[in-house]
Amino acid sequence: MSGAQSDFERFREHLSAHGNGGLVHAVAARAAIGNWRAAMCSQDDVRQLLERWGIASAALEPIEHALAAAWNARAAAYAPYSRFHVGAAVLGSCGRLWCGANVENSSYGLTLCAERAALAAARAAGGEAFLLLCVAADTEEPISPCGACRQWIVELAPHALVAMVGSKGAERWCTPAELLPWAFGSEMFHRQL
Ligand SMILES: [Zn+2]
């Protein structure tokens, strides 16, 4: 369980831009558990970790709700070409949730992914401090954002965590920088020679 402990600490540090509240701790805890649950022996392991971290299991409910919302958002996908339905949900530090699904186009290159749809909805609704972006698809392995979405995540949700979810409950959690190392950003504008 040492892997879960170190993930909890580094995720909490990454999320510290949002302060030190209960929801921040709960997201860090749920992320660490998501990464290591397969290696844990039982539900007791999870209970012990939550107890050690001082987090009530009820505190995880907003995160479970966000994960379920991403999964359910697949139903709204417009994917007549690939038939690959993806859902995404963004959880704000205020507890608000915004969802998105992939929207395809007969001009394939114009297709919009679920992650960008959810981030655009969140940003357009006035949200800006995002704790979590969940993405879910009917794949055995956790679904992974494409390169364009990684750039969007780094731009609009740099202090969030990303939860990737597969159809059988497999999860992978990471930071945006882990998804897109050496990302291009607005700070580059100031580094021109
Ligand atoms: Zn994408």
Side-chain angles (χ1 to χ4, degrees), residues 112-116 144-150:
L112 180 66
C113 300
E115 299 93 312
R116 278 177 282 156
S144 189
C146 76
C149 287
R150 291 174 192 220

Side-chain angles (χ1 to χ4, degrees), residues 10-11 14 153 158 160-162 173-180:
R10 75 186 181 88
F11 286 150
H14 173 75
I153 293 167
L161 289 179
V162 180
W173 294 66
C174 70
T175 66
E178 287 168 340
L179 271 183
L180 190 62

